[in-house]
Amino acid sequence: MADEYVRRTAITRLEVTDEQRDLLEETISEWKRGCQIATDMAWGKCNTKSDVQPLAYDDVREHTDLGSQHAILATHQAAQAITGCIERRLNGKKVSKPSFTAPTVKFDARTMTLFDDDSVSLSTTESRVRCKLALPESDDGYQRQYLDSDIWTVTESTLTARDGDYFLHIGFRRHKTDTERNTAEDGTVLGVDLGIENLAVTSTASFFSGRELTHNLHEFEKVRAGLQQTGTRSAHRTLEQSSNRELRYVRDVLHRASNAIVDEALRHGCDIIAFEDLAHIRDRTGASWGHRWAFRTLYEQVEYKAEAEGIAVTQVDPAYTSKRCAECGFTADENRPTRSDFRCQKCDLEANADYNAAKNIGLRHVRQGQQSSRRTGDSQLALKSGTVTPNGGFTAYPDGFEAEFTDKPQCRPTACTSSDHV
């Protein structure tokens, strides 16, 4: 049955005491453990909420400190993750049992209460904690359009921990109008560009370097070529060992990158992660076979990990995304003087080329909503410091949110010199 609701997420930081921080950390830890227990029990047996809950609920309650409602939510989260794996398997893709590592915990109407004084009460493993929402001092913060509205109602929400701070992704929904139709393709979009110099770059300005991967792929290729030329039985055994090491190494790199991309989407309340269509990525990037395999595997890892979190993953036509200015829309070959630099010949924007492309990829998906009769066009692109709509409307994130992630090791924000306004 089609979803009859439009759904949105409002992000706000929580003001917590040391005691509340300890309780929230413990609850997150127990939540991850509860989800894993339910998944371990249901894997290969069932995947619907109505089946997983009676199967795993008692064990989750017995082996964790989660309250009864959080134990139920953990079984539902496990069911959602397993369902995503089954769908991937039906599409001919290899899947493995989900694991829960993200520092998050879900809340619903029974475990979370919002109050008119801009505070929230959250259930923990021991007692409820009541925290203030760190909202903008003025009344024009974007969260107000949901918090102060009689149309939008609170639904399931997610708490995310990062470097000692806690951000509550509050879910809201409203009934669709007669002209609005259900689509999983509307919502907040994270754009992702793939490449050689940078394995992946997001529209929120997180950079995942590809230099080490490229170097090691070349080294593995040289060793492989030498062993193949030798042709002895000993060389064949060494070749097999080398190939296994290469596979383990690449999968580890992609595992860390895919986790980081999904975490980035969760942190920014994204509903969709948009990649470029991988069909012709060799022509665009000059990728070797090893890189093409890595890109495809990275996409698949992000796909199943994102689906476990309720985030859709899609691909868009990459035509001109590397030559189009994400600021003014001017498209020309001259906008790319080098592989890594973007300089718009019209508006003089200077940016990292991969970052500019990531925003264009996300915008391509957002704008498709305006052109498709099947979609509402009610989408926005997640950027480094806020979100932007197709008509250029910009909404900043809450105070303190940006600083929470700009110093991550994998991010090189100094490479991103452009404005976030698109």
Side-chain angles (χ1 to χ4, degrees), residues 26-41:
E26 176 66 17
T27 303
I28 290 172
S29 177
E30 292 299 282
W31 165 261
K32 291 189 292 185
R33 197 149 63 93
C35 291
Q36 197 63 58
I37 290 171
T39 300
D40 292 345
M41 295 185 67

Side-chain angles (χ1 to χ4, degrees), residues 109-122:
R110 295 185 179 183
T111 54
M112 182 185 85
T113 304
L114 283 174
F115 295 96
D116 292 338
D117 64 352
D118 295 335
S119 67
V120 62
S121 173
L122 301 173

Side-chain angles (χ1 to χ4, degrees), residues 55-268:
L55 174 69
Y57 172 79
D58 288 342
D59 282 74
V60 173
R61 287 283 282 150
E62 180 180 355
H63 298 293
T64 74
D65 292 329
L66 294 177
S68 59
Q69 187 60 22
H70 261 138
I72 292 173
L73 292 176
T75 65
H76 294 177
Q77 184 75 10
Q80 184 181 47
I82 295 171
T83 298
C85 290
I86 292 174
E87 291 175 351
R88 291 184 66 250
R89 184 184 293 129
L90 292 175
N91 290 326
K93 299 173 181 177
K94 294 182 179 180
V95 298
S96 57
K97 184 172 64 177
S99 60
F100 295 85
T101 59
T104 64
V105 57
K106 293 289 182 66
F107 291 89
D108 65 0
R110 295 185 179 183
T111 54
M112 182 185 85
T113 304
L114 283 174
F115 295 96
D116 292 338
D117 64 352
D118 295 335
S119 67
V120 62
S121 173
L122 301 173
S123 294
T124 71
T125 52
E126 294 186 18
S127 61
R128 280 201 169 231
V129 296
R130 187 162 176 171
C131 311
K132 291 289 292 183
L133 304 177
L135 296 167
E137 293 183 4
S138 61
D139 292 334
D140 58 356
Y142 86 103
Q143 299 94 338
R144 288 295 179 194
Q145 64 183 296
Y146 307 111
L147 291 169
D148 298 341
S149 173
D150 294 330
I151 299 175
W152 294 93
T153 57
V154 178
T155 61
E156 191 172 278
S157 303
T158 302
L159 181 72
T160 299
R162 179 65 61 175
D163 297 333
D165 280 330
Y166 298 88
F167 291 88
L168 188 61
H169 298 242
I170 309 172
F172 290 90
R173 73 181 186 184
R174 63 167 173 80
H175 283 284
K176 289 183 176 179
T177 64
D178 292 339
T179 57
E180 291 175 330
R181 301 180 62 186
N182 174 61
T183 173
E185 296 177 316
D186 285 330
T188 303
V189 180
L190 180 75
V192 181
D193 178 71
L194 302 178
I196 307 299
E197 178 75 11
N198 293 300
L199 174 61
V201 179
T202 71
S203 59
T204 52
S206 277
F207 286 67
F208 310 98
S209 177
R211 291 181 179 178
E212 181 180 335
L213 175 64
T214 298
H215 171 76
N216 287 331
L217 284 175
H218 288 163
E219 292 300 310
F220 280 122
E221 179 61 31
K222 287 193 294 185
V223 170
R224 186 161 51 246
L227 291 171
Q228 288 172 340
Q229 187 174 15
T230 301
T232 64
R233 181 175 299 179
S234 175
H236 178 75
R237 287 197 299 268
T238 305
L239 176 61
E240 185 175 355
Q241 294 170 352
S242 176
S243 297
N244 289 335
R245 284 197 301 272
E246 178 182 9
L247 182 62
R248 289 194 300 270
Y249 163 74
V250 175
R251 286 194 179 278
D252 179 66
V253 171
L254 300 181
H255 171 70
R256 288 185 278 113
S258 60
N259 279 345
I261 291 171
V262 174
D263 285 347
E264 195 75 359
L266 286 169
R267 190 176 307 119
H268 291 82

Side-chain angles (χ1 to χ4, degrees), residues 338-357:
T338 68
R339 176 183 290 270
S340 60
D341 295 324
F342 185 92
R343 298 173 187 170
C344 180
Q345 302 302 301
K346 183 176 180 180
C347 72
D348 296 327
L349 169 77
E350 294 188 7
N352 176 278
D354 297 332
Y355 176 44
N356 180 76

